[in-house]
Amino acid sequence: MNFTRWSARLPGTQRRAAARTETGGSPAQRGESSVPAARAERLADTPAAGVDELPAREVLDRIPALVALVHGPDHRIAYVNDAYTTAFGTRPLGAPAREALPELGEVGLLPLLDQVLRSSKPRTVKSRKAPGGRSYTFTCTPVSLPLGGPVGDTPGGGVLVFAADVTDHAEAAERLRASERTLRETAVTLQRSLLPQELEQPDDLRIAATYQPGGTDAAVGGDWYDVITLGGGRTALVIGDVMGRGVRAAAVMGQLRTAVRAYARLDLPPHEVLQLLDGLAAEIDASQIATCAYAVHDPNEGSLVYASAGHLPILVRDENGTIHRAEEPTGPPLGTGGWLHASGSVPLGPGSTAVLYTDGLVERRSEDIDEGVAALERALAGATGTPQVVCDRLIRALGVTADHDDDVAVLVLQQPSRTGVHADLFRNAALELLGGVEAAPRARAFATGVLASWRFPPELHDLGVLAASELVANSLQHGTPPMRLRLRRTDRRLIIEVTDGDDHLPRRRRAEPADEAGRGIAIVATIASNWGSRRTPGGGKAVWCEFALPRA
């Protein structure tokens, strides 16, 4: 048994003697004169005692750490030092460890003693809390008996248990972990507070979303999603990711999300929304790069019109199970500037499911990201059920767990396939407005007949006919052909929309008493639950209003 490493704790005379023994003689014997003569004379009078000559018990008793020596298959106590008895009390020599050293059992050390005996290799367990509340790092080292001297000379396998008190270190580490948990909880709370607290649920779509912070540190990311009802039955869907991690990324994300909601209210095409967002991103923080996909669903068109700023492709599974990947067009990330974004479209008919997601769902360090997207396509092909069920299944299929190292945001939307009674609640009717002023009475008659067939209450019927008449009259006076009146009902509202070829958007204004025009939009805004206008692709505009239906 080698006690050389304990020599630093021995008195100075013994250390010097040990050094002489190890180096083969004194400096004087080697012809060196580094020690003054008077001091050398005093050293010469001191008996030399090497470390190997010290009794083992004397060395062990001087060690401030806890030491116990056990031997045999049932680990009977051969020795415990004073520090050990001070910490855990007197222990009877010769008793088996399982009975006489319960503290070793509580820290899980007894199986380790067996391993040390079998393998003849030392084992260590770090920072275990023992009875009494203090923490120790235990090292079990195999030794050969008999040791000689007072420790004992019992034959058989023996294990030396050495326990260093690391309570201060353990408590400091726990305080650090608690602080990190608090910081992470704060960061995650901030991140979640910047996300929608409750998703808007459009009439024609069923939507669910999930966000999972990555890793266990406080550096949450800047992933976000949003659902924005635009009116007239249209819905904007957003997914985005600010590069980097930490509170700064989350703060930039919050500003971008707010900006997207503001720009969405303008009811612009997706590429124009991203164009505005691109300029703003550079102003918010030129060092932060963000990706974003912005899509608009119009139930009348049966498609998603979208634009992408460096974001991963939207995936759509149609009612037959075929996966469509909306890859083009894709521009650079937000904040880079100097790029004209463009809009594309992907079909989204009844029975379809679309998925918008951030790279944390599909990106792995050991794989190309295209492989991750392909894995998501396979998972989506077999993921059926409600949007929330699809969300959960995709998360599981892609291997996202609580210790995933990147943030994940997923937005799933479905266009239900309605039959029977549910199909009766969703109706469309349209009329091409041909000719001149005679189109107005035809539009009024058309609206009267359609709304009567949909069995609306008399008051709602009359308001709908009045709104249709005013919107058509406004279009005939200020718009250009082609013109169309479209009526749509859902289970929640009646939507009236008129389109024409002029791109001048109407605005609500106060008509003077002498004015003969200018009151149509004001009347519509007064009687309807909501109204708005937008430019249509290829030129022209659409002006719409909607009425909330009485709940059944």
Side-chain angles (χ1 to χ4, degrees), residues 206-230:
R206 298 295 175 261
I207 301 178
T210 186
Y211 167 75
Q212 184 163 315
T216 57
D217 57 12
V220 297
D223 295 22
W224 92 91
Y225 55 81
D226 212 344
V227 178
I228 310 165
T229 52
L230 302 177

Side-chain angles (χ1 to χ4, degrees), residues 134 140 157 211 226 245 271 307 324 395 453 499:
R134 301 197 67 80
C140 300
Y211 167 75
D226 212 344
R245 297 171 68 81
H271 66 276
H324 303 272
I395 289 288
S453 70
T499 59

Side-chain angles (χ1 to χ4, degrees), residues 347-380:
L348 188 75
S352 297
T353 300
V355 179
L356 293 78
Y357 53 96
T358 57
D359 58 3
L361 181 65
V362 296
E363 189 172 33
R364 303 292 181 268
R365 290 190 178 94
S366 59
E367 299 178 357
D368 185 85
I369 195 168
D370 287 336
E371 297 179 13
V373 175
L376 178 60
E377 288 181 338
R378 293 191 295 272
L380 177 60

Side-chain angles (χ1 to χ4, degrees), residues 8 29 61 85 162 192 203 278 321 365 393 412 424 441:
Q29 292 171 333
D61 282 341
T85 58
F162 177 83
R192 292 191 183 280
D203 297 2
D278 181 55
R365 290 190 178 94
R393 289 182 175 177
V412 174
D424 292 337

Side-chain angles (χ1 to χ4, degrees), residues 392-416:
D392 296 340
R393 289 182 175 177
L394 295 182
I395 289 288
R396 289 196 301 270
L398 273 294
V400 178
T401 59
D403 58 354
H404 192 63
D405 62 357
D406 195 6
D407 291 41
V408 175
V410 181
L411 181 66
V412 174
L413 57 133
Q414 292 179 344
Q415 169 78 55

Side-chain angles (χ1 to χ4, degrees), residues 101-114:
L101 300 175
E103 58 277 359
L104 299 188
E106 292 191 29
V107 299
L109 211 63
L110 293 179
L112 207 63
L113 297 177
D114 295 330

Side-chain angles (χ1 to χ4, degrees), residues 67-137:
V67 175
L69 185 67
V70 298
H71 68 91
D74 52 357
H75 312 299
R76 294 183 178 275
I77 303 173
Y79 166 79
V80 291
N81 71 349
D82 292 340
Y84 196 102
T85 58
T86 300
F88 299 123
T90 304
R91 295 293 184 261
L93 298 181
R98 189 172 300 277
E99 301 173 4
L101 300 175
E103 58 277 359
L104 299 188
E106 292 191 29
V107 299
L109 211 63
L110 293 179
L112 207 63
L113 297 177
D114 295 330
Q115 295 177 22
V116 171
L117 277 182
R118 287 195 303 268
S119 66
S120 296
K121 295 180 180 179
R123 296 285 189 271
T124 298
V125 292
K126 296 182 179 180
S127 191
R128 296 288 178 89
K129 183 169 288 189
R134 301 197 67 80
S135 297
Y136 299 89
T137 290

